[in-house]
């Protein structure tokens, strides 16, 4: 892998595949979001926040960790959690041992809403993503994505 700041430019093939990857990501994301909004009146980002909270043993996360997990800015996750809190899906509490820290907490209503929305979202992932791969392709794509996402590759 080239060092950060390398002067090497992408080849035509690399650039073409990169653009194809971006278009595919954008298309699938738009379709999944449209389905969630139409069937569940829940954005993909809101669904992701609920999933991140549900996947923790305590159903809670510090707001800074949540922002990193859902790939939103801190201000973006704050505004989203504000909306989810008004809807009763998420609560906020002070972090234990830290008077300044705030944690987002999944409410029982939020957990129920997530269960309902998961049926829509997971069916969409299977249809719009999973069914696009032939035998062996999905595993290879997964290994490539894991390599690209590894912290030791791009610190």
């Amino acid at each position: 892998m080239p060092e950060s700041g390398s002067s090497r430019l992408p080849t035509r093939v690399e650039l073409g595949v990169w653009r194809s990857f971006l278009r595919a990501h954008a298309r699938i994301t738009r379709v999944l979001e449209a389905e969630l909004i139409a069937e569940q009146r829940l954005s993909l980002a809101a669904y992701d926040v609920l999933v991140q909270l549900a996947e923790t043993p305590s159903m809670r996360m510090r707001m800074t960790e949540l922002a990193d997990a859902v790939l939103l800015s801190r201000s973006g996750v704050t505004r989203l959690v504000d909306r989810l809190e008004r809807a009763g899906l998420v609560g906020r509490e002070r972090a234990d041992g830290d008077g300044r820290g705030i944690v987002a907490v999944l409410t029982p209503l939020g957990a129920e809403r997530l269960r309902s929305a998961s049926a829509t979202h997971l069916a969409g992932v299977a249809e719009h993503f999973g069914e696009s791969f032939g035998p062996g392709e999905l595993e290879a794509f997964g290994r490539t994505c894991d390599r690209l996402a590894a912290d030791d590759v791009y610190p």
Side-chain angles (χ1 to χ4, degrees):
M1 300 265 47
E3 292 181 31
S4 181
S6 169
S7 60
R8 186 179 92 74
L9 297 176
T11 66
R12 284 183 193 261
V13 171
E14 289 169 335
L15 197 53
V17 171
W18 169 247
R19 289 176 177 161
S20 179
F21 170 76
L22 291 177
R23 283 191 306 274
H25 177 269
R27 186 192 71 74
I28 292 170
T29 301
R30 279 193 304 268
V31 169
L32 293 175
E33 174 139 70
E35 289 175 350
L36 271 174
I37 290 171
E39 296 179 29
Q40 304 291 332
R41 294 190 339 231
L42 193 67
S43 71
L44 190 54
Y47 176 82
D48 193 16
V49 165
L50 298 179
V51 166
Q52 296 300 325
L53 294 173
E55 288 182 343
T56 65
S58 62
M59 304 285 202
R60 64 187 66 227
M61 287 179 86
R62 286 181 163 275
M63 293 291 287
T64 54
E65 293 169 347
L66 186 57
D68 290 342
V70 299
L71 306 176
L72 288 175
S73 67
R74 289 193 173 125
S75 61
V77 83
T78 296
R79 288 189 300 274
L80 180 54
V81 169
D82 285 345
R83 290 191 300 274
L84 293 172
E85 188 174 31
R86 284 193 299 275
L89 306 179
V90 172
R92 280 196 176 100
E93 297 175 358
R94 291 261 178 228
D96 293 336
D98 181 358
R100 298 178 310 163
I102 301 291
V103 294
V105 181
L106 185 65
T107 65
L109 180 60
E112 178 56 37
R113 191 73 189 280
L114 175 60
R115 276 189 288 282
S116 175
S118 289
T120 298
H121 181 68
L122 296 177
V125 169
E127 178 183 352
H128 307 296
F129 179 75
E131 292 178 6
S132 299
F133 293 91
E137 290 178 329
L138 186 60
E139 293 83 3
F141 184 70
R143 286 190 300 274
T144 300
C145 288
D146 287 344
R147 195 169 55 247
L148 291 171
D151 288 338
D152 61 335
V153 175
Y154 304 103

